Amino acid sequence: MPLSTQSQADDEQYVLVASLDHARNLSNILKAIAFKDHAIFSATPNGLKVTVEDSKCLQANAFIQAEIFQEFTIREDLVGFQVNLTVLLDCLNIFGGSTVPGVSTALRMCYKGYGYPLTLFLEEGGVVTVCKINTQEPEEPVDFEFCSTNVTNKVILQSESLKEPFSELDMTSEVLQITMSPSQPYFRLSTFGNSGNAHYDYPKDSDMMELFRCTKTQTNRYKMSLLKPSTKALALSCKVSVRTDSRGFLSLQYLVRNDDGQICFVEYYCCPDEEVE
């Protein structure tokens, strides 16, 4: 096991130790939520949750289960800190993020507790680099109060069916309008840009539609600038769940399979720009 030469005594001073044979499995999922500099890390015995927010209108969470790590040791029920995500990603890719077969960067991430830096030990080809990143006290993430009991509409799609429309979305449109309905058009994406209006419709019996559960017709608009970062998660994912609640809040859940075939989740919450009658 790479980087396991550190002594047991060293480990005991840390409240959190997480090791990965492939640092890319962490950096790839963090890139999917990297639209602001600062990220809030919350570690529990179940794993790691990383949260990034934009002006209380957008929130992204990456969930990395404890089983994904080769080692995941936590000495408190909850360990939380805030770090500069841009700096963290730069450190994780310090060896260039090599994709050469058989060559990978191993990671050991350690944290001593409040006031201490986040320490990364990165090893590739016998060379070990140590990075220390300053941490801050974590801010309390916004509670979007998005609970499953208030979900009115939900569809699960294979990501491929959304990748092309999202890559072709008219970015001159200030909003993306999402219509979900038990009757036609069922699931529709609409833009209103300089070149005119465009609609993408998904029949409920489409091969790409894995689940269609809509109880009422809802049309909501979301700022394109807020949704744009979520395309990073879409590009990595194999499935996406689109949900709206009774207030028109949007939840996008992405199922991401890493290089080792393990599953992680990325979730975006976005508040509606305006409701369309």
Side-chain angles (χ1 to χ4, degrees):
M1 171 69 204
L3 301 179
S4 59
T5 49
Q6 277 188 284
S7 71
Q8 200 91 30
D10 275 352
D11 273 5
E12 284 170 9
Q13 61 183 323
Y14 296 118
V15 294
L16 176 69
V17 177
S19 300
L20 281 169
D21 288 346
H22 305 290
R24 284 183 68 222
N25 285 344
L26 179 61
S27 61
N28 280 352
I29 199 116
L30 293 182
K31 282 176 192 168
I33 61 168
F35 56 87
K36 286 286 179 186
D37 275 349
H38 286 90
I40 302 160
F41 278 66
S42 304
T44 69
N46 294 326
L48 197 58
K49 175 184 172 186
V50 187
T51 303
V52 179
E53 295 184 322
D54 184 4
S55 61
K56 296 186 168 44
C57 296
L58 179 71
Q59 182 184 93
N61 297 291
F63 301 93
I64 306 117
Q65 291 88 329
E67 303 80 56
I68 301 282
F69 296 92
Q70 274 65 52
E71 176 195 2
F72 191 83
T73 306
I74 182 166
R75 301 192 186 280
E76 295 173 4
D77 292 337
L78 175 67
V79 174
F81 54 88
Q82 188 168 300
V83 294
N84 186 306
L85 186 55
T86 310
V87 172
L88 175 58
L89 283 168
D90 284 347
C91 292
L92 289 173
N93 293 297
I94 205 157
F95 288 109
S98 172
T99 53
V100 179
V103 177
S104 66
T105 304
L107 164 70
R108 185 178 181 83
M109 188 164 62
C110 307
Y111 179 62
K112 281 186 184 179
Y114 180 78
Y116 285 95
L118 178 66
T119 304
L120 309 180
F121 299 89
L122 294 140
E123 182 206 46
E124 186 176 299
V127 178
V128 177
T129 300
V130 181
C131 304
K132 294 190 176 185
I133 306 170
N134 289 337
T135 61
Q136 291 101 32
E137 191 169 355
E139 294 171 11
E140 190 68 36
V142 175
D143 183 0
F144 276 71
E145 296 174 353
F146 195 101
C147 62
S148 52
T149 51
N150 292 334
V151 169
T152 48
N153 296 317
K154 176 180 180 178
V155 299
I156 298 177
L157 295 147
Q158 291 180 29
S159 298
E160 282 305 317
S161 65
L162 281 176
K163 285 176 185 175
E164 188 179 339
F166 264 82
S167 67
E168 293 176 357
L169 284 178
D170 186 348
M171 288 301 171
T172 64
S173 177
E174 289 189 5
V175 296
L176 174 67
Q177 180 173 293
I178 299 178
T179 302
M180 298 171 86
S181 173
S183 54
Q184 282 188 314
Y186 302 117
F187 181 59
R188 170 179 279 184
L189 304 176
S190 306
T191 54
F192 312 92
N194 295 342
S195 53
N197 301 349
H199 304 290
Y200 296 90
D201 288 355
Y202 294 81
K204 66 175 181 178
D205 53 1
S206 157
D207 290 345
M208 291 291 185
M209 186 82 69
E210 297 210 355
L211 177 87
F212 180 87
R213 192 180 294 148
C214 294
T215 59
K216 73 173 209 176
T217 300
Q218 257 186 320
T219 299
N220 289 287
R221 292 182 173 184
Y222 305 93
K223 277 196 167 68
M224 191 72 84
S225 57
L226 290 176
L227 288 181
K228 200 175 178 185
S230 69
T231 55
K232 294 179 183 177
L234 178 64
L236 286 176
S237 67
C238 48
K239 289 182 190 179
V240 57
S241 158
V242 183
R243 298 181 297 162
T244 52
D245 69 7
S246 52
R247 304 166 300 162
F249 278 62
L250 177 69
S251 156
L252 299 168
Q253 288 179 318
Y254 300 93
L255 188 150
V256 178
R257 207 179 288 278
N258 68 20
D259 291 348
D260 297 326
Q262 299 161 310
I263 288 170
C264 301
F265 291 93
V266 173
E267 183 167 50
Y268 273 79
Y269 290 121
C270 185
C271 65
D273 187 40
E274 56 182 286
E275 199 161 324
V276 182
E277 293 303 327

